[in-house]
Amino acid sequence: MILMALYRALMISAVQLIHPRRFGDARGWFTEVYSEPAFAKLGIDCRFVQDNHSLSVPKYTLRGLHFQTPPRGQDKLVRCVRGAIFDVAVDIRKGSPTYGQWVGAELSAENGHQLFIPIGFAHGFVTLDDNCEVTYKCSDTYAPESDGGIRWDDTAIGIDWPMPAGTIPELSAKDAVQQLLADFDSPFPYDGRPLAPLA
């Protein structure tokens, strides 16, 4: 029941923007946000074992860029269920031809889009509304000993966060002092899956 995006690359991109179909009538709508067989057809065959749900009260709250290192890496399937966010994935796979490059998409309660972010990518988002709620599925549970991050404003990555010039986002104390990409010795190998523009 899920209408998936078609991909421009010959191979399926590592990071995928997914467009679940909504079936609506006078009552509202219904959508199937996850189906193991449908996702497997896209090459997403991980097993999700944890669901997370966050609330970010102020507009321009920024969370990221986060990842867990092997052997506790996490594939993530992210969606926004209230408000809107700009969701980002950064390639941190050693040897990848797109190492340090990023892709991003707006996810909102209105559009229903989801972003699949596999192991080997740092993840972050900034909220575009007040009181945003985000849910995401993970393929491993939280492991503080494997918790890692990269600075959200690293100029070597150059993420174009959609915030007015001069805006200082709301950050956690941890995210304000994350390491730069240049100081990061990646434990993630390149697996041959390309990072392509999001469809």
Side-chain angles (χ1 to χ4, degrees):
M1 293 176 65
I2 295 180
L3 179 62
M4 301 297 181
L6 297 175
Y7 299 95
R8 297 178 186 141
L10 293 176
M11 294 175 64
I12 294 174
S13 178
V15 178
Q16 300 186 42
L17 183 62
I18 298 166
H19 308 268
R21 185 177 175 187
R22 288 178 173 174
F23 299 88
D25 58 26
R27 299 167 299 166
W29 51 260
F30 169 85
T31 187
E32 185 178 90
V33 297
Y34 177 71
S35 162
E36 187 175 52
F39 275 67
K41 290 178 181 178
L42 290 176
I44 301 173
D45 56 3
C46 59
R47 177 174 171 256
F48 293 115
V49 299
Q50 180 173 308
D51 280 12
N52 298 329
H53 188 159
S54 72
L55 167 67
S56 299
V57 175
K59 185 177 181 178
Y60 303 130
T61 293
L62 198 150
R63 299 177 184 265
L65 301 162
H66 303 151
F67 54 85
Q68 283 191 181
T69 56
R72 302 298 303 275
Q74 291 179 315
D75 302 291
K76 296 178 180 178
L77 180 64
V78 184
R79 66 189 183 116
C80 181
V81 297
R82 183 181 183 191
I85 65 170
F86 186 69
D87 203 38
V88 170
V90 179
D91 191 347
I92 53 172
R93 299 170 297 170
K94 184 176 288 185
S96 170
T98 53
Y99 184 81
Q101 294 183 28
W102 64 276
V103 292
E106 183 174 319
L107 310 181
S108 70
E110 183 177 352
N111 68 29
H113 298 170
Q114 300 179 83
L115 197 63
F116 174 73
I117 302 162
I119 294 169
F121 288 79
H123 169 245
F125 65 84
V126 65
T127 61
L128 305 178
D129 294 314
D130 294 328
N131 299 308
C132 284
E133 294 187 53
V134 174
T135 67
Y136 55 101
K137 305 177 84 63
C138 298
S139 64
D140 200 351
T141 56
Y142 175 60
E145 71 280 4
S146 299
D147 190 35
I150 302 292
R151 278 187 64 92
W152 68 276
D153 59 350
D154 189 336
T155 56
I157 301 171
I159 297 171
D160 185 15
W161 297 105
M163 297 184 290
T167 300
I168 299 174
E170 295 285 338
L171 298 166
S172 70
K174 180 180 76 171
D175 287 345
V177 295
Q178 296 281 17
Q179 64 187 320
L180 296 173
L181 185 64
D183 299 324
F184 175 58
D185 183 17
S186 177
F188 299 103
Y190 178 57
D191 56 10
R193 291 179 298 167
L195 177 63
L198 297 176

PDB file of all heavy atoms in Angstrom, residues 58-94:
ATOM      1  N   PRO A  58      10.841  25.056  20.867  1.00  0.00           N
ATOM      2  CA  PRO A  58      11.104  26.279  20.092  1.00  0.00           C
ATOM      3  C   PRO A  58      11.378  25.994  18.614  1.00  0.00           C
ATOM      4  O   PRO A  58      12.030  24.998  18.271  1.00  0.00           O
ATOM      5  CB  PRO A  58      12.354  26.873  20.755  1.00  0.00           C
ATOM      6  CG  PRO A  58      12.625  26.051  21.967  1.00  0.00           C
ATOM      7  CD  PRO A  58      11.975  24.734  21.742  1.00  0.00           C
ATOM      8  N   LYS A  59      10.890  26.851  17.759  1.00  0.00           N
ATOM      9  CA  LYS A  59      11.270  26.821  16.349  1.00  0.00           C
ATOM     10  C   LYS A  59      12.776  27.002  16.239  1.00  0.00           C
ATOM     11  O   LYS A  59      13.385  27.728  17.029  1.00  0.00           O
ATOM     12  CB  LYS A  59      10.538  27.954  15.610  1.00  0.00           C
ATOM     13  CG  LYS A  59      10.738  27.986  14.112  1.00  0.00           C
ATOM     14  CD  LYS A  59       9.892  29.112  13.514  1.00  0.00           C
ATOM     15  CE  LYS A  59      10.025  29.186  12.009  1.00  0.00           C
ATOM     16  NZ  LYS A  59       9.160  30.258  11.433  1.00  0.00           N
ATOM     17  N   TYR A  60      13.386  26.345  15.262  1.00  0.00           N
ATOM     18  CA  TYR A  60      14.826  26.336  15.028  1.00  0.00           C
ATOM     19  C   TYR A  60      15.588  25.648  16.149  1.00  0.00           C
ATOM     20  O   TYR A  60      16.706  26.024  16.489  1.00  0.00           O
ATOM     21  CB  TYR A  60      15.375  27.743  14.757  1.00  0.00           C
ATOM     22  CG  TYR A  60      14.710  28.429  13.597  1.00  0.00           C
ATOM     23  CD1 TYR A  60      14.204  29.720  13.719  1.00  0.00           C
ATOM     24  CD2 TYR A  60      14.541  27.784  12.373  1.00  0.00           C
ATOM     25  CE1 TYR A  60      13.574  30.349  12.665  1.00  0.00           C
ATOM     26  CE2 TYR A  60      13.903  28.401  11.311  1.00  0.00           C
ATOM     27  CZ  TYR A  60      13.417  29.684  11.465  1.00  0.00           C
ATOM     28  OH  TYR A  60      12.781  30.306  10.422  1.00  0.00           O
ATOM     29  N   THR A  61      14.973  24.595  16.722  1.00  0.00           N
ATOM     30  CA  THR A  61      15.725  23.655  17.545  1.00  0.00           C
ATOM     31  C   THR A  61      16.474  22.733  16.598  1.00  0.00           C
ATOM     32  O   THR A  61      15.890  22.220  15.638  1.00  0.00           O
ATOM     33  CB  THR A  61      14.785  22.836  18.445  1.00  0.00           C
ATOM     34  OG1 THR A  61      14.185  23.704  19.403  1.00  0.00           O
ATOM     35  CG2 THR A  61      15.533  21.729  19.170  1.00  0.00           C
ATOM     36  N   LEU A  62      17.759  22.537  16.847  1.00  0.00           N
ATOM     37  CA  LEU A  62      18.575  21.696  15.970  1.00  0.00           C
ATOM     38  C   LEU A  62      19.131  20.537  16.781  1.00  0.00           C
ATOM     39  O   LEU A  62      19.757  20.742  17.826  1.00  0.00           O
ATOM     40  CB  LEU A  62      19.704  22.519  15.348  1.00  0.00           C
ATOM     41  CG  LEU A  62      20.367  21.902  14.117  1.00  0.00           C
ATOM     42  CD1 LEU A  62      20.878  22.989  13.178  1.00  0.00           C
ATOM     43  CD2 LEU A  62      21.511  20.966  14.491  1.00  0.00           C
ATOM     44  N   ARG A  63      18.900  19.344  16.288  1.00  0.00           N
ATOM     45  CA  ARG A  63      19.396  18.121  16.929  1.00  0.00           C
ATOM     46  C   ARG A  63      20.317  17.414  15.938  1.00  0.00           C
ATOM     47  O   ARG A  63      19.908  17.029  14.858  1.00  0.00           O
ATOM     48  CB  ARG A  63      18.231  17.215  17.334  1.00  0.00           C
ATOM     49  CG  ARG A  63      17.261  17.842  18.347  1.00  0.00           C
ATOM     50  CD  ARG A  63      16.097  16.900  18.638  1.00  0.00           C
ATOM     51  NE  ARG A  63      15.101  17.493  19.520  1.00  0.00           N
ATOM     52  CZ  ARG A  63      15.065  17.330  20.847  1.00  0.00           C
ATOM     53  NH1 ARG A  63      15.997  16.595  21.435  1.00  0.00           N
ATOM     54  NH2 ARG A  63      14.124  17.898  21.572  1.00  0.00           N
ATOM     55  N   GLY A  64      21.579  17.222  16.327  1.00  0.00           N
ATOM     56  CA  GLY A  64      22.513  16.530  15.428  1.00  0.00           C
ATOM     57  C   GLY A  64      23.851  17.226  15.385  1.00  0.00           C
ATOM     58  O   GLY A  64      24.029  18.285  15.991  1.00  0.00           O
ATOM     59  N   LEU A  65      24.708  16.604  14.649  1.00  0.00           N
ATOM     60  CA  LEU A  65      24.585  15.450  13.757  1.00  0.00           C
ATOM     61  C   LEU A  65      24.994  14.193  14.536  1.00  0.00           C
ATOM     62  O   LEU A  65      26.118  14.140  15.065  1.00  0.00           O
ATOM     63  CB  LEU A  65      25.483  15.618  12.532  1.00  0.00           C
ATOM     64  CG  LEU A  65      25.201  16.863  11.691  1.00  0.00           C
ATOM     65  CD1 LEU A  65      26.376  17.168  10.804  1.00  0.00           C
ATOM     66  CD2 LEU A  65      23.959  16.648  10.830  1.00  0.00           C
ATOM     67  N   HIS A  66      24.153  13.194  14.590  1.00  0.00           N
ATOM     68  CA  HIS A  66      24.349  12.052  15.471  1.00  0.00           C
ATOM     69  C   HIS A  66      24.527  10.746  14.703  1.00  0.00           C
ATOM     70  O   HIS A  66      24.035  10.592  13.589  1.00  0.00           O
ATOM     71  CB  HIS A  66      23.150  11.885  16.401  1.00  0.00           C
ATOM     72  CG  HIS A  66      22.855  13.087  17.240  1.00  0.00           C
ATOM     73  ND1 HIS A  66      21.589  13.393  17.673  1.00  0.00           N
ATOM     74  CD2 HIS A  66      23.672  14.052  17.745  1.00  0.00           C
ATOM     75  CE1 HIS A  66      21.623  14.493  18.408  1.00  0.00           C
ATOM     76  NE2 HIS A  66      22.874  14.926  18.447  1.00  0.00           N
ATOM     77  N   PHE A  67      25.196   9.802  15.364  1.00  0.00           N
ATOM     78  CA  PHE A  67      25.330   8.437  14.855  1.00  0.00           C
ATOM     79  C   PHE A  67      25.770   7.547  16.009  1.00  0.00           C
ATOM     80  O   PHE A  67      26.168   8.040  17.074  1.00  0.00           O
ATOM     81  CB  PHE A  67      26.350   8.350  13.715  1.00  0.00           C
ATOM     82  CG  PHE A  67      27.700   8.919  14.057  1.00  0.00           C
ATOM     83  CD1 PHE A  67      28.655   8.161  14.715  1.00  0.00           C
ATOM     84  CD2 PHE A  67      28.020  10.234  13.735  1.00  0.00           C
ATOM     85  CE1 PHE A  67      29.889   8.696  15.050  1.00  0.00           C
ATOM     86  CE2 PHE A  67      29.252  10.777  14.059  1.00  0.00           C
ATOM     87  CZ  PHE A  67      30.194  10.003  14.718  1.00  0.00           C
ATOM     88  N   GLN A  68      25.671   6.238  15.801  1.00  0.00           N
ATOM     89  CA  GLN A  68      26.269   5.262  16.701  1.00  0.00           C
ATOM     90  C   GLN A  68      27.294   4.467  15.923  1.00  0.00           C
ATOM     91  O   GLN A  68      27.050   4.055  14.787  1.00  0.00           O
ATOM     92  CB  GLN A  68      25.217   4.329  17.319  1.00  0.00           C
ATOM     93  CG  GLN A  68      24.443   4.991  18.434  1.00  0.00           C
ATOM     94  CD  GLN A  68      23.570   4.044  19.244  1.00  0.00           C
ATOM     95  OE1 GLN A  68      22.901   4.493  20.153  1.00  0.00           O
ATOM     96  NE2 GLN A  68      23.557   2.742  18.957  1.00  0.00           N
ATOM     97  N   THR A  69      28.460   4.237  16.542  1.00  0.00           N
ATOM     98  CA  THR A  69      29.547   3.525  15.883  1.00  0.00           C
ATOM     99  C   THR A  69      29.340   2.013  15.957  1.00  0.00           C
ATOM    100  O   THR A  69      28.629   1.515  16.831  1.00  0.00           O
ATOM    101  CB  THR A  69      30.890   3.898  16.526  1.00  0.00           C
ATOM    102  OG1 THR A  69      30.830   3.631  17.931  1.00  0.00           O
ATOM    103  CG2 THR A  69      31.221   5.366  16.302  1.00  0.00           C
ATOM    104  N   PRO A  70      29.984   1.280  15.036  1.00  0.00           N
ATOM    105  CA  PRO A  70      29.923  -0.185  15.083  1.00  0.00           C
ATOM    106  C   PRO A  70      30.512  -0.700  16.410  1.00  0.00           C
ATOM    107  O   PRO A  70      31.397  -0.061  16.960  1.00  0.00           O
ATOM    108  CB  PRO A  70      30.801  -0.610  13.898  1.00  0.00           C
ATOM    109  CG  PRO A  70      30.831   0.586  12.997  1.00  0.00           C
ATOM    110  CD  PRO A  70      30.746   1.775  13.893  1.00  0.00           C
ATOM    111  N   PRO A  71      30.006  -1.794  16.914  1.00  0.00           N
ATOM    112  CA  PRO A  71      29.011  -2.684  16.300  1.00  0.00           C
ATOM    113  C   PRO A  71      27.567  -2.321  16.633  1.00  0.00           C
ATOM    114  O   PRO A  71      26.673  -3.141  16.448  1.00  0.00           O
ATOM    115  CB  PRO A  71      29.366  -4.038  16.924  1.00  0.00           C
ATOM    116  CG  PRO A  71      29.832  -3.679  18.310  1.00  0.00           C
ATOM    117  CD  PRO A  71      30.561  -2.366  18.157  1.00  0.00           C
ATOM    118  N   ARG A  72      27.324  -1.092  17.102  1.00  0.00           N
ATOM    119  CA  ARG A  72      25.988  -0.676  17.521  1.00  0.00           C
ATOM    120  C   ARG A  72      25.404   0.397  16.602  1.00  0.00           C
ATOM    121  O   ARG A  72      24.598   1.223  17.023  1.00  0.00           O
ATOM    122  CB  ARG A  72      26.023  -0.172  18.966  1.00  0.00           C
ATOM    123  CG  ARG A  72      26.530  -1.178  20.005  1.00  0.00           C
ATOM    124  CD  ARG A  72      25.675  -2.428  20.109  1.00  0.00           C
ATOM    125  NE  ARG A  72      24.291  -2.136  20.416  1.00  0.00           N
ATOM    126  CZ  ARG A  72      23.834  -1.965  21.659  1.00  0.00           C
ATOM    127  NH1 ARG A  72      24.650  -2.050  22.689  1.00  0.00           N
ATOM    128  NH2 ARG A  72      22.557  -1.723  21.861  1.00  0.00           N
ATOM    129  N   GLY A  73      25.802   0.361  15.339  1.00  0.00           N
ATOM    130  CA  GLY A  73      25.275   1.317  14.368  1.00  0.00           C
ATOM    131  C   GLY A  73      23.765   1.217  14.238  1.00  0.00           C
ATOM    132  O   GLY A  73      23.167   0.161  14.499  1.00  0.00           O
ATOM    133  N   GLN A  74      23.145   2.325  13.818  1.00  0.00           N
ATOM    134  CA  GLN A  74      21.686   2.375  13.707  1.00  0.00           C
ATOM    135  C   GLN A  74      21.249   2.841  12.324  1.00  0.00           C
ATOM    136  O   GLN A  74      21.633   3.908  11.878  1.00  0.00           O
ATOM    137  CB  GLN A  74      21.101   3.351  14.731  1.00  0.00           C
ATOM    138  CG  GLN A  74      21.198   2.921  16.170  1.00  0.00           C
ATOM    139  CD  GLN A  74      20.616   3.976  17.095  1.00  0.00           C
ATOM    140  OE1 GLN A  74      20.872   5.166  16.942  1.00  0.00           O
ATOM    141  NE2 GLN A  74      19.837   3.551  18.068  1.00  0.00           N
ATOM    142  N   ASP A  75      20.443   2.015  11.644  1.00  0.00           N
ATOM    143  CA  ASP A  75      19.635   2.498  10.530  1.00  0.00           C
ATOM    144  C   ASP A  75      18.449   3.238  11.149  1.00  0.00           C
ATOM    145  O   ASP A  75      17.932   2.808  12.193  1.00  0.00           O
ATOM    146  CB  ASP A  75      19.099   1.340   9.685  1.00  0.00           C
ATOM    147  CG  ASP A  75      20.194   0.454   9.125  1.00  0.00           C
ATOM    148  OD1 ASP A  75      20.931   0.931   8.252  1.00  0.00           O
ATOM    149  OD2 ASP A  75      20.300  -0.704   9.562  1.00  0.00           O
ATOM    150  N   LYS A  76      18.010   4.332  10.499  1.00  0.00           N
ATOM    151  CA  LYS A  76      16.889   5.113  11.044  1.00  0.00           C
ATOM    152  C   LYS A  76      15.857   5.381   9.952  1.00  0.00           C
ATOM    153  O   LYS A  76      16.210   5.616   8.798  1.00  0.00           O
ATOM    154  CB  LYS A  76      17.380   6.450  11.594  1.00  0.00           C
ATOM    155  CG  LYS A  76      18.333   6.325  12.771  1.00  0.00           C
ATOM    156  CD  LYS A  76      18.831   7.680  13.246  1.00  0.00           C
ATOM    157  CE  LYS A  76      19.787   7.534  14.413  1.00  0.00           C
ATOM    158  NZ  LYS A  76      20.318   8.854  14.852  1.00  0.00           N
ATOM    159  N   LEU A  77      14.601   5.365  10.353  1.00  0.00           N
ATOM    160  CA  LEU A  77      13.495   5.758   9.487  1.00  0.00           C
ATOM    161  C   LEU A  77      12.759   6.880  10.204  1.00  0.00           C
ATOM    162  O   LEU A  77      12.125   6.653  11.233  1.00  0.00           O
ATOM    163  CB  LEU A  77      12.560   4.574   9.219  1.00  0.00           C
ATOM    164  CG  LEU A  77      11.368   4.860   8.325  1.00  0.00           C
ATOM    165  CD1 LEU A  77      11.810   5.249   6.917  1.00  0.00           C
ATOM    166  CD2 LEU A  77      10.430   3.645   8.270  1.00  0.00           C
ATOM    167  N   VAL A  78      12.874   8.104   9.654  1.00  0.00           N
ATOM    168  CA  VAL A  78      12.460   9.319  10.360  1.00  0.00           C
ATOM    169  C   VAL A  78      11.218   9.908   9.716  1.00  0.00           C
ATOM    170  O   VAL A  78      11.104   9.975   8.487  1.00  0.00           O
ATOM    171  CB  VAL A  78      13.592  10.369  10.330  1.00  0.00           C
ATOM    172  CG1 VAL A  78      13.226  11.599  11.151  1.00  0.00           C
ATOM    173  CG2 VAL A  78      14.910   9.762  10.823  1.00  0.00           C
ATOM    174  N   ARG A  79      10.285  10.380  10.571  1.00  0.00           N
ATOM    175  CA  ARG A  79       9.144  11.127  10.072  1.00  0.00           C
ATOM    176  C   ARG A  79       8.736  12.172  11.100  1.00  0.00           C
ATOM    177  O   ARG A  79       9.018  12.052  12.285  1.00  0.00           O
ATOM    178  CB  ARG A  79       7.962  10.226   9.722  1.00  0.00           C
ATOM    179  CG  ARG A  79       7.318   9.511  10.864  1.00  0.00           C
ATOM    180  CD  ARG A  79       6.300   8.481  10.358  1.00  0.00           C
ATOM    181  NE  ARG A  79       5.614   7.811  11.431  1.00  0.00           N
ATOM    182  CZ  ARG A  79       4.313   7.893  11.675  1.00  0.00           C
ATOM    183  NH1 ARG A  79       3.538   8.654  10.897  1.00  0.00           N
ATOM    184  NH2 ARG A  79       3.756   7.251  12.670  1.00  0.00           N
ATOM    185  N   CYS A  80       8.096  13.223  10.625  1.00  0.00           N
ATOM    186  CA  CYS A  80       7.616  14.308  11.481  1.00  0.00           C
ATOM    187  C   CYS A  80       6.105  14.171  11.596  1.00  0.00           C
ATOM    188  O   CYS A  80       5.412  14.150  10.580  1.00  0.00           O
ATOM    189  CB  CYS A  80       7.996  15.660  10.889  1.00  0.00           C
ATOM    190  SG  CYS A  80       7.490  17.071  11.881  1.00  0.00           S
ATOM    191  N   VAL A  81       5.604  14.079  12.825  1.00  0.00           N
ATOM    192  CA  VAL A  81       4.175  13.856  13.018  1.00  0.00           C
ATOM    193  C   VAL A  81       3.441  15.103  13.499  1.00  0.00           C
ATOM    194  O   VAL A  81       2.213  15.103  13.594  1.00  0.00           O
ATOM    195  CB  VAL A  81       3.924  12.681  13.993  1.00  0.00           C
ATOM    196  CG1 VAL A  81       4.464  11.392  13.401  1.00  0.00           C
ATOM    197  CG2 VAL A  81       4.536  12.944  15.366  1.00  0.00           C
ATOM    198  N   ARG A  82       4.189  16.168  13.793  1.00  0.00           N
ATOM    199  CA  ARG A  82       3.589  17.461  14.141  1.00  0.00           C
ATOM    200  C   ARG A  82       4.544  18.557  13.723  1.00  0.00           C
ATOM    201  O   ARG A  82       5.718  18.532  14.078  1.00  0.00           O
ATOM    202  CB  ARG A  82       3.315  17.537  15.643  1.00  0.00           C
ATOM    203  CG  ARG A  82       2.631  18.822  16.096  1.00  0.00           C
ATOM    204  CD  ARG A  82       2.437  18.808  17.599  1.00  0.00           C
ATOM    205  NE  ARG A  82       1.718  19.983  18.073  1.00  0.00           N
ATOM    206  CZ  ARG A  82       1.605  20.313  19.345  1.00  0.00           C
ATOM    207  NH1 ARG A  82       2.149  19.548  20.282  1.00  0.00           N
ATOM    208  NH2 ARG A  82       0.946  21.395  19.695  1.00  0.00           N
ATOM    209  N   GLY A  83       4.046  19.526  12.932  1.00  0.00           N
ATOM    210  CA  GLY A  83       4.899  20.603  12.451  1.00  0.00           C
ATOM    211  C   GLY A  83       5.720  20.182  11.253  1.00  0.00           C
ATOM    212  O   GLY A  83       5.277  19.359  10.430  1.00  0.00           O
ATOM    213  N   ALA A  84       6.936  20.728  11.141  1.00  0.00           N
ATOM    214  CA  ALA A  84       7.805  20.449   9.991  1.00  0.00           C
ATOM    215  C   ALA A  84       9.259  20.553  10.425  1.00  0.00           C
ATOM    216  O   ALA A  84       9.616  21.374  11.271  1.00  0.00           O
ATOM    217  CB  ALA A  84       7.520  21.422   8.852  1.00  0.00           C
ATOM    218  N   ILE A  85      10.106  19.728   9.797  1.00  0.00           N
ATOM    219  CA  ILE A  85      11.544  19.751  10.050  1.00  0.00           C
ATOM    220  C   ILE A  85      12.286  19.697   8.724  1.00  0.00           C
ATOM    221  O   ILE A  85      11.734  19.278   7.701  1.00  0.00           O
ATOM    222  CB  ILE A  85      12.003  18.580  10.938  1.00  0.00           C
ATOM    223  CG1 ILE A  85      11.798  17.221  10.217  1.00  0.00           C
ATOM    224  CG2 ILE A  85      11.297  18.603  12.291  1.00  0.00           C
ATOM    225  CD1 ILE A  85      12.435  16.037  10.923  1.00  0.00           C
ATOM    226  N   PHE A  86      13.548  20.131   8.755  1.00  0.00           N
ATOM    227  CA  PHE A  86      14.467  19.869   7.655  1.00  0.00           C
ATOM    228  C   PHE A  86      15.414  18.793   8.149  1.00  0.00           C
ATOM    229  O   PHE A  86      16.166  19.001   9.097  1.00  0.00           O
ATOM    230  CB  PHE A  86      15.223  21.130   7.253  1.00  0.00           C
ATOM    231  CG  PHE A  86      16.083  20.948   6.030  1.00  0.00           C
ATOM    232  CD1 PHE A  86      15.513  20.757   4.784  1.00  0.00           C
ATOM    233  CD2 PHE A  86      17.471  20.974   6.126  1.00  0.00           C
ATOM    234  CE1 PHE A  86      16.297  20.591   3.643  1.00  0.00           C
ATOM    235  CE2 PHE A  86      18.266  20.816   4.997  1.00  0.00           C
ATOM    236  CZ  PHE A  86      17.672  20.621   3.754  1.00  0.00           C
ATOM    237  N   ASP A  87      15.351  17.617   7.517  1.00  0.00           N
ATOM    238  CA  ASP A  87      16.069  16.429   7.970  1.00  0.00           C
ATOM    239  C   ASP A  87      17.269  16.181   7.072  1.00  0.00           C
ATOM    240  O   ASP A  87      17.155  16.254   5.837  1.00  0.00           O
ATOM    241  CB  ASP A  87      15.114  15.235   7.938  1.00  0.00           C
ATOM    242  CG  ASP A  87      15.530  14.129   8.871  1.00  0.00           C
ATOM    243  OD1 ASP A  87      16.011  14.437   9.973  1.00  0.00           O
ATOM    244  OD2 ASP A  87      15.358  12.951   8.518  1.00  0.00           O
ATOM    245  N   VAL A  88      18.415  15.848   7.675  1.00  0.00           N
ATOM    246  CA  VAL A  88      19.688  15.800   6.952  1.00  0.00           C
ATOM    247  C   VAL A  88      20.438  14.506   7.248  1.00  0.00           C
ATOM    248  O   VAL A  88      20.422  14.013   8.389  1.00  0.00           O
ATOM    249  CB  VAL A  88      20.569  16.999   7.361  1.00  0.00           C
ATOM    250  CG1 VAL A  88      21.985  16.860   6.826  1.00  0.00           C
ATOM    251  CG2 VAL A  88      19.949  18.302   6.867  1.00  0.00           C
ATOM    252  N   ALA A  89      21.093  13.971   6.222  1.00  0.00           N
ATOM    253  CA  ALA A  89      22.011  12.841   6.373  1.00  0.00           C
ATOM    254  C   ALA A  89      23.345  13.221   5.741  1.00  0.00           C
ATOM    255  O   ALA A  89      23.381  13.773   4.636  1.00  0.00           O
ATOM    256  CB  ALA A  89      21.446  11.602   5.699  1.00  0.00           C
ATOM    257  N   VAL A  90      24.449  12.928   6.444  1.00  0.00           N
ATOM    258  CA  VAL A  90      25.801  13.233   5.976  1.00  0.00           C
ATOM    259  C   VAL A  90      26.567  11.929   5.824  1.00  0.00           C
ATOM    260  O   VAL A  90      26.622  11.116   6.761  1.00  0.00           O
ATOM    261  CB  VAL A  90      26.543  14.158   6.959  1.00  0.00           C
ATOM    262  CG1 VAL A  90      27.959  14.453   6.456  1.00  0.00           C
ATOM    263  CG2 VAL A  90      25.777  15.456   7.172  1.00  0.00           C
ATOM    264  N   ASP A  91      27.172  11.730   4.673  1.00  0.00           N
ATOM    265  CA  ASP A  91      27.945  10.521   4.391  1.00  0.00           C
ATOM    266  C   ASP A  91      29.256  10.549   5.183  1.00  0.00           C
ATOM    267  O   ASP A  91      30.096  11.426   4.984  1.00  0.00           O
ATOM    268  CB  ASP A  91      28.240  10.446   2.890  1.00  0.00           C
ATOM    269  CG  ASP A  91      28.813   9.100   2.455  1.00  0.00           C
ATOM    270  OD1 ASP A  91      29.223   8.301   3.326  1.00  0.00           O
ATOM    271  OD2 ASP A  91      28.866   8.861   1.233  1.00  0.00           O
ATOM    272  N   ILE A  92      29.422   9.584   6.105  1.00  0.00           N
ATOM    273  CA  ILE A  92      30.662   9.493   6.883  1.00  0.00           C
ATOM    274  C   ILE A  92      31.296   8.110   6.710  1.00  0.00           C
ATOM    275  O   ILE A  92      31.998   7.615   7.592  1.00  0.00           O
ATOM    276  CB  ILE A  92      30.444   9.837   8.371  1.00  0.00           C
ATOM    277  CG1 ILE A  92      29.320   9.001   8.983  1.00  0.00           C
ATOM    278  CG2 ILE A  92      30.137  11.325   8.529  1.00  0.00           C
ATOM    279  CD1 ILE A  92      29.188   9.173  10.501  1.00  0.00           C
ATOM    280  N   ARG A  93      31.095   7.493   5.548  1.00  0.00           N
ATOM    281  CA  ARG A  93      31.667   6.180   5.257  1.00  0.00           C
ATOM    282  C   ARG A  93      33.059   6.348   4.668  1.00  0.00           C
ATOM    283  O   ARG A  93      33.228   6.974   3.622  1.00  0.00           O
ATOM    284  CB  ARG A  93      30.765   5.426   4.284  1.00  0.00           C
ATOM    285  CG  ARG A  93      29.351   5.177   4.814  1.00  0.00           C
ATOM    286  CD  ARG A  93      28.433   4.648   3.726  1.00  0.00           C
ATOM    287  NE  ARG A  93      28.271   5.626   2.653  1.00  0.00           N
ATOM    288  CZ  ARG A  93      27.680   5.365   1.492  1.00  0.00           C
ATOM    289  NH1 ARG A  93      27.198   4.158   1.258  1.00  0.00           N
ATOM    290  NH2 ARG A  93      27.564   6.308   0.579  1.00  0.00           N
ATOM    291  N   LYS A  94      34.051   5.792   5.324  1.00  0.00           N
ATOM    292  CA  LYS A  94      35.443   5.916   4.870  1.00  0.00           C
ATOM    293  C   LYS A  94      35.588   5.307   3.479  1.00  0.00           C
ATOM    294  O   LYS A  94      35.150   4.188   3.218  1.00  0.00           O
ATOM    295  CB  LYS A  94      36.378   5.205   5.856  1.00  0.00           C
ATOM    296  CG  LYS A  94      37.841   5.367   5.528  1.00  0.00           C
ATOM    297  CD  LYS A  94      38.726   4.721   6.580  1.00  0.00           C
ATOM    298  CE  LYS A  94      38.700   5.534   7.860  1.00  0.00           C
ATOM    299  NZ  LYS A  94      39.672   4.979   8.860  1.00  0.00           N
TER     300      LYS A  94
END
